[in-house]
Amino acid sequence: MKICISSKGNSLDSMLDSRFGRADYFIIVDTDTMEFESIENTAATSGGGAGITSGQMMVDRDIKAVITGNVGPNAMSVLKAADIDIYRGMAISVKENIESFKRGLLEKIEATVPAHSGLGINGGQK
């Protein structure tokens, strides 16, 4: 299964980025083989539409699940329309989040944060 984890860096040892649309990187992982690809999120610094652009990227790459901290309403709409499940990751490494996902320990995200919540000081992260 191909999943995506929002990440602050470009490796499996990088920490989860709690933002989805404005994450620094996306790590695409095949959970069966643990082969991965790192993609710099070019939408992270855009003035608007980051959630839609990032969500569409998941659709285009045939992602089945996303692990992140929070999702805005636009990204949620795109991901839900494509039947991509969204899980709340923890403030640990990408690799550790994948292991938690594989063991069924991550909760599904069903509610969004307000639009543009990833903007601001430190990207709006708490």
Side-chain angles (χ1 to χ4, degrees), residues 55-74:
Q56 187 60 48
M57 184 184 304
M58 301 303 115
V59 174
D60 294 344
R61 292 181 178 271
D62 199 27
I63 300 300
K64 301 300 182 200
V66 166
I67 300 172
T68 188
N70 300 298
V71 178
N74 292 332

Side-chain angles (χ1 to χ4, degrees), residues 46-126:
S46 67
I52 293 171
T53 301
S54 299
Q56 187 60 48
M57 184 184 304
M58 301 303 115
V59 174
D60 294 344
R61 292 181 178 271
D62 199 27
I63 300 300
K64 301 300 182 200
V66 166
I67 300 172
T68 188
N70 300 298
V71 178
N74 292 332
M76 177 72 84
S77 294
V78 173
L79 296 172
K80 288 294 184 186
D83 289 326
I84 297 173
D85 292 327
I86 310 163
Y87 293 88
R88 187 172 318 281
M90 296 178 272
I92 53 180
S93 73
V94 168
K95 184 188 297 180
E96 291 169 310
N97 273 292
I98 295 167
E99 292 304 319
S100 294
F101 171 78
K102 290 167 85 173
R103 288 185 281 161
L105 300 177
L106 302 182
E107 70 171 294
K108 278 193 173 181
I109 295 176
E110 302 292 343
T112 69
V113 294
H116 307 291
S117 67
L119 294 171
I121 297 171
N122 294 325
Q125 297 184 56
K126 295 180 180 176

